[in-house]
Structure formats: C-alpha cells, structure tokens
C-alpha cells in the first residue's frame, strides 16, 4: 500500500513538473513569413524532444530553460527550404553517372562520353544525362552515328536534360531491336533517318521505353547509395523537404530502407509514378506520415505532354520553329479522366505534368469536370504550367488548383521558348504574377536533376526574371515577377501546403517541426546576385543538425 502511494506521488510530480525541452536555439537573426505574407523576425526557438517547436521568441524576450542550448552567434536563420517538384533518385543517380549538362558543343559532349567510357572499362552500359542540343547550337538532334564516334563497342544511353528524350548509339538500338519497321508508340516519337526511316538515335517521350526495357535496372545497394548522395546534395543546399515526382516501387523501397535504418534525413512527399505504382505502394489510400513526418505517399504523378526542348510539349498551334509539329499528347481525354478518377476516388492527390497551352487547357477542363464529383480539399496540382493560353489563366483560380512551377526553367528556357513559340505567343509563358492574381497558390521547385536544385537561384529568379548573369536587364517579361517574400513562401509554407504537409513543417511556428537553415547572409536584404551566392552553414531537420559546411 505504501509503495503504491509512493509510486502515485512520483507519477503526479512527473506530470505537474515542467518538462525541459531538448534544445534552445538562441542568439539568431531569424526570418520567417507570417500569414499576411510579411517578414517576421525572431531571436530564438525552443524545440521539444520530439523535434517540434514549443516557442518562437522575439528579441529581448526572456529565454526559457532547456536541457540543451545552441548559440547561433547572431547568424541568420531561415525556414528549411522545400522543393515542390524534383526527382530524388534522379539527383542521386545523376551524381553517380555521366553529367553532360555543362557541355556546350557536340564535340565537348563526345569527348566527355569517351573519357567516361575509358575511365570505366568494366561498365557494360554507359549511362548519363543532361545533354541539350540547344546549348550546343546544333539546330537538330544528335545522331547515333555521332555517339558511335565517341563509344561504339558498348551500348550508350544519354537522357536529355529535360528527361523527355533519349540519345543512344547504334549498339543500344541493336540490343533494343528497334528497326525502320518499328512503329512509334502512343505518346512517343522515334527520330528517323530521312529516306530510310531507320532510327536516327533519339527517342522522344514514350519512345524512350523501347530503349529502357533492355537497360539493366540498378541494384538495391546502388539505389541506397543514390539516395544517400541525393540527401547529401539537397541538405547542403538548405533543402529540408521535397516532393518526389514519379516514385517507383524500387524508389519507395529505398526510402523505406533508409527510414528503417534511421538514415532518412530529408522529408519526402512522394507522388507515385502512375496509378499502378500508386496502388502497389499505397493500396487504397494515402499512406500515413512515417519516420517522424519524413515520408508519405499522398498522390500520383501523371504526364499529359512532353517538354519544349524536345518539341514534345502539346501546343494549340504548331511550333514556330517546326511548323508541322504541335507536340505530343501523352494521354487521350478519356484516359486522362479515367486515371484522375481512379486516383481521386481513393483520395490520392493528382499532380499532372502539363507544359504546352493545349495540355494545360485540356487539364483545366478535366479538373473542372472532376471537381464537381470529387469535392472537398483536393489541391489539384498542375506541374510546370509553363505555357498557358492567356484567356485561360483565370481558370487556374478555380477548384483550388496549385501551380507547381520552377523559376529556373524560365531563365533556362527563355531563348528557346521565344524560338519555339514566336514573339506573339508568350503572353501566358511562365506567368507567375498572372497566376497569383487569378487566385492560384504557387509552389516553387527546381525539377532537379533537370535543373540544379539550388533554391537560392530559384528564389532570385522569381523576383527578378533575370539569369545568373543579370540578363536580360530588368527581367524577361518583368510584369510576371513575384515579390521576394512571395517567392520565399512558395519555397517554404506554400510548398508544404501543396503536399498536404501544412501544420507539420514549412513555417517555423509552434507545433510544427523545427526545420531550419543557417546561412551566411540576410536573404531579405541581399541583391539578387548576392542571394545566388548564399552559403548554407548548417541545416537542421526536426531540431537535429544534419549538415554542417566544411
């Protein structure tokens, strides 16, 4: 009886006594965006032992006691940056294979491929990505013969920078058994040699599957290595969470293995690579948040068209620089609606790739129709939304549509977009301001590895419409700029909202996870050029330091 009373007294004391938080991060110049879109400054964060924020303290406030403390020494703290659209495993594999994104001529690319092959004599396949014939000034796609000139004895497969075309050598074509008689698959195009109709060496959109069906799949240990490499890259850039667009079952298993091992440091909002992968991974509804809000599959990624660079984006009128071509719709109207319905009926979120104005128009119509049946908080996502008919911009403000866009695409694509569309069809191109004016919420990302995942480059681009060289002076179509504060929100709170993660992370408010970044300058005061040069000193996820600059 006496022991019982003692235990009860101890339990009551434990309940009534104030619990000490794990960490007090103090003496910082903290920055966050409040609900009105204004900059809010703070001086300290009190973080609980579960990694959630207990208090946000202003300068001069009395600091509470904590079991652990971290003196920020006056350094600048910003919310952990969130990339609303990238490809996690693509980043990792891109860092482990050949990268052609910096090549500026066909000859330079050939030399890089030859050198990589010679440095890796044991590889049965030479794999890489990042080529861009526009940067090479080639005026056409490269050919298999030109790839043979670099490497002919082994199959070579090089993915275009936008991921919507594949350049291969003759050995790869032979192994894939593609001939002049092979028909173009639905939603794809085999570039052919004039006169003979033989495959010329480039496979656009769905035609790439003809090649990839014979490319060996990475082994689990290679996937695990790629995931760790991707996390290293992203955390070093201040990215604490990301929407993974196109998660396969093999990707998901790598994420789960990392979570089980305690090595999943990045938060991943996962979107399945199609309805079949969605059902295989998540079953009859979105998964719960796993590993302390580090992983969830809540939606599905679909493709409605290709990209401008490979002339696969679906346009209402033919390309200005290719009058016989209007791009490729990858799904028929009934297929699109059937797939959307299949996902929506089980409450999966839809994230659909649409770049051309025809694709965006068709998708807006489909969302309008399905929203009448599938009501509630759906947060329909249109990924990229690069070229929109100006007459349809207002449609984005309906049905709670989120425009998931990548600012750096505007600077990378500017010259190409002018050539592809001509001067009279640019009114709805990369139209960030017009979309927000229509009532659309913007979620910003990078589409890495298509672009660099560097969020500071995207942030600077968003409020200047200028590239890293400050061109064009004053910005390209500057009326479509957003404010510095709006851009930060699109890379933090609004990117979290776009992934149904609001209330969990993204704002640095009480109750959310303590995800933040320590940087070497004040991004609200820096010039665009200085903002691009921002150095991440430390990255924290859930109140735990996961990256320190060397």
């Amino acid at each position: 009886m006496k022991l019982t009373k003692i235990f009860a007294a101890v339990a009551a004391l434990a309940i009534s006594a104030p619990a000490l938080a794990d960490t007090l991060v103090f003496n910082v110049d903290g920055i966050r965006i409040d609900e009105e879109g204004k900059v809010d400054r703070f001086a300290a964060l009190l973080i609980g032992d579960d990694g959630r924020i207990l208090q946000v303290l202003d300068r001069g406030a009395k600091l509470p006691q904590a079991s652990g403390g971290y003196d920020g020494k006056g350094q600048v703290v910003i919310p952990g940056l969130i990339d609303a659209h990238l490809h996690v495993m693509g980043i990792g594999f891109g860092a482990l294979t050949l990268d052609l994104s910096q090549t500026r001529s066909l000859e330079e690319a050939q030399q890089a491929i030859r050198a990589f092959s010679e440095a890796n004599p044991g590889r049965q396949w030479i794999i890489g990505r990042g080529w861009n014939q526009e940067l090479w000034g080639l005026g056409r796609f490269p050919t298999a013969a030109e790839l043979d000139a670099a490497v002919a004895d082994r199959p070579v497969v090089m993915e275009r920078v936008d991921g919507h075309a594949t350049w291969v050598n003759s050995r790869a074509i032979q192994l894939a058994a593609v001939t002049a008689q092979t028909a173009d698959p639905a939603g794809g195009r085999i570039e052919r040699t004039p006169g003979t109709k033989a495959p010329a060496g480039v496979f656009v959109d769905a035609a790439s599957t003809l090649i990839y069906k014979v490319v060996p799949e990475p082994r689990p240990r290679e996937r695990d290595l790629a995931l760790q490499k991707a996390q290293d890259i992203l955390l070093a850039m201040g990215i604490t969470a990301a929407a993974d667009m196109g998660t396969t079952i093999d990707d998901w298993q790598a994420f789960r293995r990392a979570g089980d091992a305690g090595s999943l440091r990045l938060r991943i909002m996962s979107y399945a690579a199609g309805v079949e992968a969605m059902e295989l991974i998540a079953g009859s509804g979105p998964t719960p948040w796993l590993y302390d809000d580090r992983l969830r599959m809540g939606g599905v990624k679909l493709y409605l068209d290709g990209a401008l660079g490979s002339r696969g984006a679906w346009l209402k009128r033919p390309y200005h620089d290719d009058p016989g071509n209007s791009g490729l719709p990858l799904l028929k109207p009934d297929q699109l609606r059937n797939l959307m319905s299949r996902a929506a009926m089980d409450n999966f979120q839809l994230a659909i790739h649409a770049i051309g104005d025809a694709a965006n128009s068709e998708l807006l119509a489909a969302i309008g129709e399905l929203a009448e049946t599938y009501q509630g908080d759906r947060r329909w996502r249109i990924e990229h939304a690069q070229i929109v008919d100006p007459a349809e911009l207002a449609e984005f403000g309906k049905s709670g549509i989120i425009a998931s866009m990548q600012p750096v695409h505007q600077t990378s694509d500017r010259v190409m977009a002018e050539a592809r569309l001509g001067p009279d069809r640019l009114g709805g191109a990369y139209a960030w301001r017009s979309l927000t004016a229509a009532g659309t919420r913007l979620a910003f990302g990078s589409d890495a590895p298509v672009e660099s995942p560097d969020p500071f480059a995207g942030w600077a681009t968003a409020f200047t419409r200028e590239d890293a060289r400050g061109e064009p002076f004053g910005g390209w179509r500057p009326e479509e700029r957003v404010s510095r504060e709006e851009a930060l929100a699109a890379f933090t709170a609004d990117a979290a909202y776009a992934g149904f993660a609001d209330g969990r992370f993204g704002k640095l408010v009480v109750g959310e996870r303590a995800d933040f970044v320590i940087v070497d300058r004040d991004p609200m005061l820096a010039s665009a050029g200085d903002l691009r040069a921002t150095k991440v000193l430390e990255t924290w996820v859930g109140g735990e330091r996961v990256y320190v600059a060397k």
Side-chain angles (χ1 to χ4, degrees):
M1 180 65 70
K2 291 182 179 179
L3 286 175
T4 302
K5 291 182 178 179
I6 292 173
F7 289 151
V10 171
L13 181 62
I15 293 172
S16 61
L20 290 178
D22 270 358
T23 306
L24 176 68
V25 177
F26 63 97
N27 189 19
V28 300
D29 183 6
I31 296 169
R32 60 180 182 168
I33 302 297
D34 65 20
E35 295 295 340
E36 297 179 357
K38 297 180 180 179
V39 174
D40 180 37
R41 300 270 178 173
F42 63 91
L45 294 172
L46 183 63
I47 304 168
D49 57 7
D50 61 355
R52 289 186 172 89
I53 297 172
L54 296 177
Q55 291 185 51
V56 181
L57 298 114
D58 295 331
R59 191 169 301 280
K62 182 180 179 180
L63 297 180
Q65 291 185 338
S67 57
Y70 176 83
D71 185 353
K73 300 179 180 179
Q75 296 177 117
V76 176
V77 168
I78 62 174
L81 296 161
I82 302 173
D83 193 306
H85 182 121
L86 52 65
H87 308 276
V88 172
M89 300 303 288
I91 294 170
F93 281 120
L96 298 173
T97 56
L98 178 58
D99 181 10
L100 296 178
S101 61
Q102 301 305 309
T103 59
R104 291 298 180 265
S105 68
L106 173 62
E107 293 74 19
E108 190 177 336
Q110 289 171 316
Q111 182 178 357
I113 295 166
R114 187 180 300 112
F116 185 85
S117 176
E118 292 172 353
N120 295 274
R123 297 201 181 193
Q124 295 181 342
W125 289 71
I126 303 300
I127 307 293
R129 64 166 309 281
W131 60 272
N132 186 347
Q133 81 282 3
E134 298 296 322
L135 292 180
W136 297 347
L138 206 57
R140 59 172 175 80
F141 280 131
T143 66
E146 288 165 332
L147 198 44
D148 293 342
V151 176
D153 62 331
R154 286 179 283 173
V156 181
V157 178
M158 295 286 139
E159 185 181 80
R160 193 181 185 278
V161 64
D162 58 13
H164 288 271
T166 307
W167 177 30
V168 300
N169 68 353
S170 297
R171 181 60 178 151
I173 293 173
Q174 180 186 15
L175 290 172
V178 180
T179 68
Q181 287 70 46
T182 304
D184 288 355
R189 182 177 69 250
I190 303 171
E191 293 293 315
R192 300 180 186 272
T193 303
T196 68
K197 293 189 176 181
V202 168
F203 295 74
V204 179
D205 286 315
S208 294
T209 60
L210 298 172
I211 297 296
Y212 284 110
K213 69 181 182 182
V214 298
V215 178
E217 287 287 335
R219 292 171 293 182
R221 67 177 61 185
E222 293 169 334
R223 291 184 180 277
D224 294 345
L225 178 61
L227 174 57
Q228 294 308 315
K229 185 66 176 179
Q231 290 190 94
D232 291 343
I233 292 169
L234 295 172
L235 293 169
M237 291 185 173
I239 297 170
T240 56
D244 184 56
M245 286 294 162
T247 305
T248 66
I249 181 61
D250 292 318
D251 297 339
W252 180 259
Q253 290 296 87
F255 301 160
R256 291 299 304 266
R257 286 193 296 272
D260 291 342
S263 60
L264 186 62
R265 296 164 288 159
L266 179 75
R267 301 194 192 280
I268 300 177
M269 300 172 284
S270 174
Y271 291 78
V275 169
E276 290 185 5
M278 176 194 80
E279 293 178 329
L280 181 62
I281 294 168
S284 58
T287 69
W289 285 94
L290 304 169
Y291 312 114
D292 296 328
D293 293 339
R294 276 179 168 80
L295 180 64
R296 177 180 182 258
M297 174 165 284
V300 60
K301 167 76 177 302
L302 303 176
Y303 286 89
L304 187 49
D305 69 344
L308 282 175
S310 50
R311 295 188 182 86
W314 183 23
L315 302 178
K316 291 187 173 184
R317 289 188 283 156
Y319 282 85
H320 182 74
D321 59 356
D322 189 6
N325 178 21
S326 296
L328 293 167
L330 303 182
L331 295 170
K332 296 178 180 178
D334 59 335
Q335 291 176 318
L336 172 66
R337 287 158 177 78
N338 287 340
L339 291 171
M340 291 176 67
S341 293
R342 179 64 194 86
M345 70 174 59
D346 282 337
N347 295 312
F348 288 99
Q349 186 185 18
L350 272 300
I352 304 176
H353 168 119
I355 288 183
D357 54 3
N360 278 285
S361 180
E362 180 63 32
L363 183 50
L364 287 167
I367 291 173
E369 295 168 18
L370 269 65
E372 297 179 3
T373 300
Y374 303 105
Q375 299 181 357
D377 188 8
R378 294 287 171 170
R379 304 188 195 181
W380 312 92
R381 294 177 57 136
I382 298 182
E383 304 301 315
H384 308 305
Q386 287 182 8
I387 312 299
V388 180
D389 186 331
E392 295 178 326
L393 285 168
E395 295 298 312
F396 273 77
K398 301 176 181 178
S399 304
I401 295 173
I402 294 167
S404 170
M405 306 181 76
Q406 301 74 44
V408 287
H409 279 331
Q410 181 261 302
T411 47
S412 296
D413 294 356
R414 174 177 61 86
V415 175
M416 178 187 66
E418 291 174 342
R420 295 285 190 269
L421 300 172
D424 301 327
R425 295 163 61 188
L426 298 172
Y430 312 86
W432 311 322
R433 171 55 60 203
S434 293
L435 287 168
T436 58
T440 301
R441 192 185 296 241
L442 295 179
F444 280 162
S446 66
D447 202 13
V450 174
E451 303 277 1
S452 165
D454 179 7
F456 298 99
W459 188 355
T461 297
F463 67 84
T464 65
R465 307 275 287 192
E466 297 176 347
D467 63 19
R469 296 172 296 181
E471 297 179 355
F473 179 76
W476 185 72
R477 303 189 63 81
E479 67 276 10
E480 293 295 349
R481 292 178 297 200
V482 295
S483 71
R484 189 186 297 248
E485 294 78 8
E486 287 171 319
L488 176 57
F491 272 114
T492 53
D494 290 343
Y497 175 88
F500 280 94
D502 48 314
R504 297 178 182 273
F505 51 86
K507 284 187 176 180
L508 286 185
V509 297
V510 172
E512 289 195 355
R513 300 287 182 179
D515 300 349
F516 59 89
V517 182
I518 301 176
V519 294
D520 68 341
R521 67 200 66 194
D522 188 329
M524 308 311 296
L525 301 177
S527 67
D530 284 344
L531 180 59
R532 289 176 180 273
T534 299
K535 181 178 180 181
V536 173
L537 303 177
E538 298 183 10
T539 302
W540 293 58
V541 176
E544 178 185 359
R545 187 165 49 188
V546 295
Y547 167 78
V548 179
K550 296 179 180 179

